[in-house]
Amino acid sequence: MDITFVGSGIATTFTLLPMLESVIKHGSEQGLVRIAVIEKNTEWFTGLAYGPKSGESALLITSLADFLQEGELRQEFISWLIHNSKALIEDLRNDGGSLSLNWIRTHKDDIEAGDWEDIYIPRRFFGKYLKEKVNKLIDKAKANDQIELFFIQDEVSAIDKSGNGYSLHFNSGRTALRSEKVVLSVGIPPSKEYWTSGEEQKLNDQVCLIADPYNPGLTENLEKIRNYVNKGESGNVLIIGANASAMEMIYKLNDEPEIRPKLGNFLIISPKGELPNSAQDDFTRMVRFIPENLLALEGKDDLTAWEIYKAANLDLDAAENRGFGTAISEIPISKAFISLLESLNSEELQAFASLYGNEIGKRQRRAGKHYTDVVDHLMAQNRIRNIKGYFTSLISDERTTGVRFDFKLEPGKKERISEQKIDIVINCSGSKTLDEKNLPELLVQLMNAGLCVINPSRRGFLVDNDMQCSKGFYVAGPLLAGNVIEDVPFWHLEHCGRIIKLGERLAHKLLNREPKQVWRNKTL
């Protein structure tokens, strides 16, 4: 192969799309381009977030206008939505429950008018669009004899340096594949583990445990919960973590007609002790927040990443003290600190990418109004309790159903035991860092072989400006987090806009072409 992608998710898709468009339009200097795409799952070109693992009715956490920057891609996607709206809405109606029906009713007039920009659409819509788009381009490039593309459904177990390229080995034992260039595009590491499969089996009669909402898939896990409550078991839900996935699980549990009536209270445990804030509405658009501490740093000599981080936190504190959530404070604070990044030297940019950017991001989480409305409703019923702390373990009592759990208010402090009995436990704590145990076999092998080195963020691999870990070995997607590329720090690579821009740049590098421009600006 000339180029091999390990993984076929969203980062691969947004690298492959500009590659195909370039080859179709300009041809290839080396003639026929031989490309392999290797994927262990059955779904191609959608990734976890936009594929069937997330179900048909999980929503974006931003409006479509915020999700995709204004331009050709957004307009093309909206045209596709207008053309396919009837089939898409029918799939949503069949998959979802009362909340999905409410979504359909709420947006009926906008959808009929073709006004999609302000809607928090089901993510699956975007996945279906991408899969159709990339397959059409593949067929066109193949018809023109410009590319030869191979799809391999298997899992890569190891990659070795081999002459001027690399040898890829498979878990199935099939013959190794040799490729001049390799793109590692495997998404984020797996979720943190709080119990073993053996412990889960022992607790099966006492509690319903969901180790990862999207493994094997959201639909399958909802079915597991449905079967559990239909046995007559019902009660309280513990969610470990307070991120977008936690909001999604609260929404989906309350969207399922067979599950919702049997649920009691929701306990959410997280270090911050709060769920993501609602997006902007008519009221929040009228409120103006000025990030005075960040603005005071403008023009300062020898500015450091720590100073930006400290000022951002002071402004976030000021917003919270005034009762302003993320919907009001996020945009002015983000614009202020991002504008300051151009004043940092290379060492300070790396510090921001490795640590401070991600820490600020933890305080700027948001979710769409459909999700927050459900939380607000449960809050009004006094059925949600946010616990600021750290989950430790489950405590079982074989004499009864349900479990209790240990937690710490702060690391190193004495453990406490929950007062309420829990019947359903869902792990939404997020992914592991690259220095933790039980990582995927391939990532461990790449680090042991020295082909990939963990960067200081512990969330990604160290790369150069061409996104290479080693000569001809590229990284795409979330594992680029914690790097500075062409003087732009990247601390979070699960945002579609960032993935699109980096995919465009990587596509040119893989085809040995320089992009016409690096970045339009430094607000990625």
Side-chain angles (χ1 to χ4, degrees):
M1 297 295 123
D2 296 304
I3 303 163
T4 297
F5 290 88
V6 182
S8 74
I10 202 77
T12 289
T13 299
F14 278 115
T15 305
L16 198 56
L17 282 172
M19 282 181 65
L20 293 168
E21 288 168 348
S22 180
V23 169
I24 290 169
K25 187 174 182 179
H26 304 293
S28 169
E29 294 178 4
Q30 68 237 52
L32 183 70
V33 182
R34 293 167 59 87
I35 301 173
V37 183
I38 304 167
E39 174 58 60
K40 65 180 180 180
N41 298 308
T42 56
E43 181 73 8
W44 300 76
F45 304 125
T46 63
L48 186 152
Y50 310 101
K53 284 181 177 288
S54 290
E56 296 286 342
S57 52
L59 307 177
L60 292 176
I61 62 170
T62 65
S63 66
L64 177 56
D66 289 336
F67 177 66
L68 290 178
Q69 289 185 357
E70 188 172 359
E72 183 178 345
L73 179 63
R74 189 206 287 182
Q75 292 309 312
E76 184 183 282
F77 179 43
I78 289 174
S79 296
W80 183 88
L81 287 169
I82 293 170
H83 182 72
N84 293 279
S85 60
K86 288 185 179 179
L88 294 170
I89 297 303
E90 190 60 29
D91 288 342
L92 175 60
R93 192 188 305 275
N94 292 335
D95 180 79
S98 59
L99 296 178
S100 296
L101 290 175
N102 179 60
W103 186 96
I104 294 170
R105 287 193 295 267
T106 299
H107 299 298
K108 181 177 181 293
D109 291 343
D110 288 332
I111 290 171
E112 288 180 353
D115 297 330
W116 288 86
E117 283 89 345
D118 293 330
I119 300 178
Y120 291 69
I121 66 168
R123 296 197 302 265
R124 190 76 175 103
F125 291 4
F126 191 57
K128 291 177 179 180
Y129 158 76
L130 284 179
K131 190 169 184 179
E132 182 179 306
K133 180 178 174 69
V134 73
N135 282 327
K136 283 182 178 179
L137 282 176
I138 288 170
D139 290 342
K140 188 173 182 179
K142 280 183 174 180
N144 295 342
D145 293 325
Q146 293 167 310
I147 67 164
E148 193 171 6
L149 205 147
F150 301 85
F151 297 100
I152 302 171
Q153 189 172 343
D154 207 330
E155 186 170 11
V156 177
S157 58
I159 302 175
D160 300 319
K161 191 82 175 82
S162 177
N164 294 326
Y166 296 88
S167 292
L168 293 86
H169 307 274
F170 299 92
N171 272 339
S172 66
R174 74 167 73 213
T175 304
L177 178 76
R178 192 177 183 283
S179 184
E180 179 186 345
K181 297 175 182 177
V182 172
V183 181
L184 183 69
S185 182
V186 293
I188 59 175
S191 298
K192 295 177 181 178
E193 298 160 340
Y194 289 105
W195 54 83
T196 65
S197 57
E199 289 171 331
E200 184 170 345
Q201 285 190 331
K202 288 181 182 178
L203 292 169
N204 265 345
D205 293 333
Q206 294 175 262
V207 65
C208 180
L209 296 176
I210 305 297
D212 180 346
Y214 310 107
N215 185 18
L218 182 59
T219 300
E220 291 84 352
N221 282 319
L222 289 171
E223 179 67 19
K224 181 179 178 180
I225 294 171
R226 187 183 300 112
N227 291 336
Y228 182 81
V229 299
N230 281 341
K231 291 190 305 182
E233 311 296 345
S234 61
N236 300 323
V237 181
L238 170 67
I239 297 180
I240 306 169
N243 50 23
S245 294
M247 296 290 286
E248 191 154 280
M249 289 307 299
I250 295 170
Y251 177 84
K252 285 304 301 175
L253 288 173
N254 284 276
D255 190 32
E256 294 286 331
E258 292 184 61
I259 297 175
R260 185 184 64 253
K262 298 186 177 182
L263 298 178
N265 295 327
F266 288 77
L267 281 71
I268 321 294
I269 184 166
S270 66
K272 299 293 182 184
E274 57 186 24
L275 285 162
N277 196 255
S278 177
Q280 285 197 343
D281 54 25
D282 291 339
F283 169 74
T284 59
R285 288 189 184 97
M286 296 170 61
V287 181
R288 188 180 178 206
F289 176 74
I290 299 174
E292 295 177 355
N293 293 282
L294 283 166
L295 295 177
L297 296 178
E298 291 182 357
K300 185 180 184 300
D301 294 333
D302 300 321
L303 186 64
T304 66
W306 162 253
E307 288 174 310
I308 296 175
Y309 169 69
K310 183 179 178 181
N313 275 287
L314 288 172
D315 285 328
L316 285 163
D317 291 341
E320 289 177 4
N321 290 336
R322 295 174 63 184
F324 294 169
T326 304
I328 294 172
S329 66
E330 181 187 27
I331 292 177
I333 287 177
S334 295
K335 284 184 176 179
F337 81 71
I338 287 173
S339 69
L340 292 170
L341 297 182
E342 294 187 18
S343 301
L344 298 181
N345 61 34
S346 58
E347 184 178 338
E348 293 298 327
L349 277 175
Q350 183 59 63
F352 199 91
S354 299
L355 177 61
Y356 299 120
N358 195 64
E359 290 302 309
I360 294 172
K362 288 179 181 178
R363 296 191 64 183
Q364 290 188 303
R365 299 162 307 149
R366 58 173 165 162
K369 193 171 186 301
H370 287 280
Y371 282 8
T372 57
D373 279 351
V374 176
V375 171
D376 291 343
H377 179 70
L378 293 170
M379 285 280 193
Q381 297 178 326
N382 199 29
R383 290 177 56 204
I384 277 193
R385 179 189 170 199
N386 278 300
I387 303 172
K388 186 176 182 180
Y390 299 80
F391 174 85
T392 305
S393 62
L394 297 173
I395 304 170
S396 64
D397 183 349
E398 296 178 358
R399 296 170 297 178
T400 181
T401 59
V403 297
R404 300 189 189 278
F405 64 95
D406 284 336
F407 66 99
K408 296 180 180 181
L409 295 177
E410 294 180 22
K413 295 289 185 179
K414 185 178 179 181
E415 291 181 346
R416 297 191 176 192
I417 299 176
S418 65
E419 298 174 1
Q420 289 184 297
K421 187 184 70 171
I422 301 300
D423 299 277
I424 300 166
V425 182
I426 305 172
N427 177 18
C428 294
S429 59
S431 61
K432 296 178 180 179
T433 54
L434 292 172
D435 57 352
E436 294 188 57
K437 296 179 180 179
N438 299 324
L439 290 173
E441 177 185 8
L442 176 60
L443 298 185
V444 174
Q445 182 271 329
L446 290 171
M447 289 186 282
N448 289 340
L451 288 179
C452 295
V453 176
I454 303 174
N455 65 39
S457 76
R458 303 182 297 128
R459 294 177 175 83
F461 290 130
L462 191 64
V463 300
D464 61 16
N465 278 332
D466 294 334
M467 289 171 273
Q468 295 179 116
C469 281
S470 306
K471 180 68 175 176
F473 192 102
Y474 301 82
V475 177
L479 290 180
L480 284 172
N483 283 288
V484 178
I485 300 171
E486 293 290 348
D487 296 326
V488 176
F490 292 91
W491 58 89
H492 183 67
L493 261 299
E494 295 170 49
H495 181 281
C496 203
R498 298 184 186 116
I499 290 174
I500 291 171
K501 290 299 181 185
L502 285 168
E504 291 172 355
R505 178 168 176 76
L506 180 55
H508 284 89
K509 291 295 180 181
L510 292 170
L511 292 172
N512 299 317
R513 295 170 182 161
E514 283 299 320
K516 293 180 180 179
Q517 58 181 17
V518 180
W519 320 114
R520 189 192 316 170
N521 52 48
K522 296 191 177 183
T523 59
L524 294 177

